[in-house]
Amino acid sequence: MVQPLDHLKESPSQTAGPYVHIGCTPNFSGITGVYPQDLGHEMITGEVSGTPIRITGRVLDGTGTPLRDAMIEIWQPDAAGLFNSPAETRGRADPNFTSWGRAASDMVTGEFAFDTVKPGAVPYVDGRLQAPHVTLWIVARGINLGLHTRMYFPDEDAANAADPILTRIEHQNRVRTLIAETPGKGHYHFDIHLQGPTETVFFDI
Amino acid sequence: MTNGYVNRDRRWHPAALTPDYKTSVARGPRQAPLSFPTTLVEETGPVFGHEMLGRHDNDLIVNFATGDGMAIGPRIIVHGQLRDEFGRGVPNTLIEVWQANAGGRYRHKKESYLAPLDPNFGGCGRCMTDAQGFYEFRTIMPGPYPWPNTMNDWRPAHIHFSIFGQAFAQRLITQMYFEGDPLIWRCPIVDTIPTREGIESLVAPLDMARTVPMDARAYKFDITLRGRRQTLFENRMEGL
């Protein structure tokens, strides 16, 4: 026998289910008067430095049908590459930028949208810079463990080519699943494919 | 200093594809996920202030009720500690909860179960952990309900939990079940968890010591988030 380690196990995940909006975006789901507004509804709370952008997208299942009951959260640094988080030790982030947003898929079209700023670059564990990107976390009925992925920018070819995560992907033809489209100036569209030949690269992170 | 977060044990969590839970078949990713060490991106996360909370946010019995009304159902207090895998309390973090009413009905436009809505019950609440990671909220016992999967599947009574922690790497959504519910062992969603031990870690025991006599019973539900490594030795990341 040896000494017991006594570490705890993480609580197992369970699906967010079809009614995640009741708990996380109650005003969106029609439950008004409990919270003044849905958390994560606004990422820009005042005058903010950097380039304002709009991110839209959809989450599509293996049949190509958009999910109409998903919840998407994004996490990103401000234009200078700093996070609005107590765990940020490199400096103080823009006080008018929350770094975090939350949106529900539209109940008809399945589209989600975030008004945010273009993120700055953040170093990797070895000091190399990561290309500017937005982290996404997706939960929904039928998804047993929240899915982490990233959206990179199509106008950052040089940074993307050197990015420590993108270059780590074995099947390089899948890198494009992490790069947004630009339907217009300041607008980035990012469809997330849960399955199929264009399945988005998800992260074990 | 920190050295990142302990890897998620993906054999302990439900797999992406769990065919007995039919919705996972078209929605669970099929490719292997890409593994890499947590970076600043995942080691930071949103933190909310206690001042954000409204007076009744942690009381689902009254937070949607009108006038002196109260939600119908067995009154319960749910409490516990949020800690990490090393047993450290996770302080000052937001917990959001949602649930069906005592009849097993959700207040949602896509919900069609014939059990009635309770005019005084919305079904959402939130609270923050204290300096040691302890949390508490009051609600009514949710009812079990049937759901479309096979022709006769019933969800055990449960409360959904959304937990932030201190880093985006710790973000977690899970469900709490109630001691003694026979539906736990018949539920395809519960059964996505690979081990009996894992399932039991989501079952809250009745806690008579914390009941409010002549008022509300209590259930104790401790939640564990991923642990943050701490060592004096710098991680050289050789081989990366």
Side-chain angles (χ1 to χ4, degrees), chain B residues 18 21 44 60 76 90 120 124-125 145 197:
Chain B
T18 48
Y21 173 29
T44 51
L60 285 75
I76 59 171
V90 182
N120 288 319
C124 63
Y145 58 86
E197 188 189 0

Side-chain angles (χ1 to χ4, degrees), chain B residues 154-215:
Chain B
W154 290 73
R155 292 306 323 280
H158 63 277
I159 300 176
H160 296 265
F161 278 68
S162 155
I163 306 126
F164 282 87
Q166 293 165 323
F168 214 54
Q170 290 181 310
R171 191 81 179 84
L172 181 71
I173 282 184
T174 189
Q175 302 181 26
M176 171 195 132
Y177 303 100
F178 293 86
E179 176 185 6
D181 188 340
L183 293 170
I184 293 170
W185 306 104
R186 292 173 169 84
C187 175
I189 289 177
V190 173
D191 200 41
T192 61
I193 299 169
T195 62
R196 186 176 181 98
E197 188 189 0
I199 293 170
E200 287 173 342
S201 74
L202 297 183
V203 181
L206 177 68
D207 183 358
M208 289 301 285
R210 287 287 296 266
T211 59
V212 181
M214 307 303 286
D215 181 342

Side-chain angles (χ1 to χ4, degrees), chain B residues 5-22:
Chain B
Y5 279 78
V6 176
N7 301 7
R8 210 155 230 164
D9 182 351
R10 299 181 81 89
R11 287 172 295 186
W12 173 255
H13 286 284
L17 176 62
T18 48
D20 289 340
Y21 173 29
K22 292 182 184 180

Side-chain angles (χ1 to χ4, degrees), chain A residues 8-15 35 62 69 73 75 85 102 141-142 144 150 168 195 199 202 204-205, chain B residues 8-9 12-13 15 18 21 25-28 31 34-35 41-42 45 85 96 171 174-175 177 224 226:
Chain A
L8 302 170
K9 294 296 285 184
E10 186 185 13
S11 295
S13 171
Q14 289 272 262
T15 180
Y35 309 147
D69 55 8
E73 293 181 357
W75 177 244
S85 170
R102 172 187 273 174
R141 177 174 67 99
N144 288 328
R150 290 180 174 189
R168 202 177 167 94
Q195 296 176 357
E199 182 179 317
F202 297 105
D204 168 31
I205 185 65
Chain B
R8 210 155 230 164
D9 182 351
W12 173 255
H13 286 284
T18 48
Y21 173 29
V25 175
R27 291 185 169 194
Q31 301 292 328
L34 179 74
S35 301
V41 178
E42 296 80 23
E85 289 172 291
E96 299 163 300
R171 191 81 179 84
T174 189
Q175 302 181 26
Y177 303 100
T224 307
R226 287 170 68 184

Side-chain angles (χ1 to χ4, degrees), chain B residues 84-143:
Chain B
D84 74 6
E85 289 172 291
F86 300 119
R88 293 183 289 244
V90 182
N92 307 319
T93 194
L94 182 67
I95 297 178
E96 299 163 300
V97 297
W98 66 101
Q99 64 169 86
N101 71 21
R105 171 76 184 262
Y106 284 95
R107 184 174 288 276
H108 195 280
K109 54 192 79 163
K110 290 188 178 170
E111 155 78 290
S112 57
Y113 183 35
L114 54 77
L117 285 171
D118 176 347
N120 288 319
F121 187 72
C124 63
R126 59 188 180 185
C127 60
M128 304 273 269
T129 61
D130 69 12
Q132 284 77 44
F134 291 99
Y135 75 92
E136 181 175 21
F137 61 92
R138 187 170 78 156
T139 185
I140 50 91
M141 183 100 170

Side-chain angles (χ1 to χ4, degrees), chain A residues 71-86:
Chain A
M71 182 180 83
I72 297 91
E73 293 181 357
I74 66 173
W75 177 244
Q76 62 159 92
D78 65 11
L82 295 170
F83 290 95
N84 189 335
S85 170

